[in-house]
Amino acid sequence: PRQNPIFISVQLHKKFDEENGANSAPQVQTKTTMTSNENNKNNGTTASNTTQPPSLFCSIGSPETSLSNETVQQKVNEFLSALGPRRDVLILPPDFTRFHSQAGMITRFVSEYYNFTKPENPTTSTANTAAAAASSSPSPPASVPKLQIIPALGTHAPMTHSQIDLMFGKELASKTNDPDVENPFVVHNWRDDVVTIGYAPATMVSEATYGMVHEPWPAQLNKLVWERRKDNHDASSSDLPPLVLSIGQVVPHEVMGMANFNKNLFVGVGGVEAINLSHFIGAVHGMEKLMGRGQNPLRSILNYASETFLQTNLDLWYILTVMGTNDKTGEVEIKGLYIGRDEECYNLACDLSLKVNFNLLEKSPKKMVVYLNEEYHSTWLGNKSIYRTRMAIDDGGELVVLAPSVEMFGEDGHIDELIRKVGYVGTPKIMEEMGKDEDL
């Protein structure tokens, strides 16, 4: 029997309140960090290119917080300065389906810091330069590194030039069709561009699927990401190893519980085997048991692969946002910014997302209406209208979806064929059809 949908949502908040004090005033999560250069200065030592900032560099956020673009840029600049100069920078932002994450803006800030593109807002840039000078932060690098951007498409369609322009700005977009420079944007092909770097144990997959699947989960990455591993770097060189930045928004997610963190790598720039199995695990495990839960069996699989293969082999850092709606203006704003290299920054972002991205209703509506804007051009994406209302709508209720831009089922051509062939018929029927159809 299905659990009461509102009870599920309330339990999420109850757990959070128990851990943080149900009657306490909302707290702003903050963390003050010291750059490697400042630490060396205080210790009377000379900074070297082997120093690293703390694993949790930035943690700012609360339901009442509203971070300005200038503050975000200043924090990003301070972080990049603490990392030291790089000759090779790889950025992994989301695609256009996460337009409101502000990952496009942050990617632009990174590009401007490394002088790869000119500032699109000179006033902001000047203000941040002055702020950096006032805090004795090192200046941005004089030389321009190699910089590549791989939008984490997963199974989604490639971004168009107009989408790149809207999300990442005109300066970066102009480089996509400039014959004099190499296009920094790389289209991820989840079927052909990947390498398997290891496996998560079959026992973890079996636990997540209630014994339905007993096979290891392949950790797959775009080859360009794996080429940045430290053992490919000349240790005798004075240069620091390639830098990999994963940028995105933590928000409740129907398959992973909470979006982003290592999902941005293993799914966003992952391969067909890993993505298909992770989606299947999520569907079998049950969306009501996953949505809004940062810790779950599927995330444990990715965390295992991340700790075993990514943290030891890549100089990988995460820049995560939490977005929420301003109660007075109705505008979407940045409620939290978290920068780190391990699970801690993700967990903090999850805590805040639970507070600002869940709407708790007094009772289950009999009818709900969802409007999908131009970001949703397929049912593969548009099904979020179901995922994000099913825990609230009443049993036997009616859901009306207005989707003027939907023109296909699957983002991927082969998946589109399978959906047209089988249809949306529910989990039991799909499981039955899988026993008959090898392709499915």
Side-chain angles (χ1 to χ4, degrees), residues 144-205:
V144 179
K146 173 184 178 181
L147 190 145
Q148 285 186 306
I149 302 168
I150 308 180
L153 297 174
T155 61
H156 299 172
M159 293 182 69
T160 64
H161 183 271
S162 62
Q163 289 175 340
I164 291 175
D165 189 315
L166 282 171
M167 185 165 177
F168 298 102
K170 296 188 180 301
E171 288 293 327
L172 276 171
S174 68
K175 291 183 178 290
T176 63
N177 51 18
D178 186 341
D180 297 326
V181 298
E182 181 181 356
N183 184 356
F185 286 90
V186 178
V187 177
H188 172 65
N189 184 325
W190 70 305
R191 296 191 182 277
D192 301 320
D193 293 348
V194 299
V195 59
T196 300
I197 64 174
Y199 292 86
T203 52
M204 299 185 76
V205 177

Side-chain angles (χ1 to χ4, degrees), residues 114-332:
Y114 286 113
N115 297 316
F116 188 77
T117 50
K118 296 182 297 183
E120 295 203 10
N121 187 339
T123 302
T124 300
S125 176
T126 302
N128 277 281
T129 301
S135 62
S136 300
S137 298
S139 301
S143 60
V144 179
K146 173 184 178 181
L147 190 145
Q148 285 186 306
I149 302 168
I150 308 180
L153 297 174
T155 61
H156 299 172
M159 293 182 69
T160 64
H161 183 271
S162 62
Q163 289 175 340
I164 291 175
D165 189 315
L166 282 171
M167 185 165 177
F168 298 102
K170 296 188 180 301
E171 288 293 327
L172 276 171
S174 68
K175 291 183 178 290
T176 63
N177 51 18
D178 186 341
D180 297 326
V181 298
E182 181 181 356
N183 184 356
F185 286 90
V186 178
V187 177
H188 172 65
N189 184 325
W190 70 305
R191 296 191 182 277
D192 301 320
D193 293 348
V194 299
V195 59
T196 300
I197 64 174
Y199 292 86
T203 52
M204 299 185 76
V205 177
S206 180
E207 176 188 351
T209 59
Y210 308 105
M212 295 174 116
V213 180
H214 192 77
E215 62 182 69
W217 180 81
Q220 298 179 313
L221 285 177
N222 187 290
K223 295 174 183 176
L224 292 177
V225 179
W226 195 235
E227 286 174 3
R228 263 69 175 196
R229 63 188 184 276
K230 297 173 185 176
D231 60 11
N232 271 0
H233 176 67
D234 184 1
S236 64
S237 169
S238 60
D239 298 327
L240 287 165
L243 174 63
V244 181
L245 298 174
S246 177
I247 304 174
Q249 175 188 2
V250 172
V251 65
H253 189 268
E254 59 276 2
V255 175
M256 203 60 64
M258 285 286 191
N260 223 271
F261 188 46
N262 44 32
K263 173 186 179 290
N264 210 40
L265 288 101
F266 290 128
V267 176
V269 291
V272 59
E273 296 174 25
I275 294 176
N276 282 345
L277 184 53
S278 66
H279 278 96
F280 181 75
I281 292 171
V284 171
H285 190 77
M287 291 176 185
E288 282 88 353
K289 298 175 185 176
L290 291 171
M291 182 76 83
R293 290 163 172 81
Q295 303 301 322
N296 58 71
L298 180 52
R299 178 62 77 173
S300 295
I301 292 173
L302 268 65
N303 287 349
Y304 171 89
S306 182
E307 294 168 6
T308 306
F309 309 117
L310 298 186
Q311 288 185 22
T312 56
N313 287 291
L314 298 173
D315 194 4
L316 168 65
W317 292 81
Y318 300 92
I319 304 177
L320 306 175
T321 62
V322 175
M323 309 299 298
T325 303
N326 185 297
D327 292 335
K328 294 181 179 179
T329 67
E331 296 294 321
V332 176

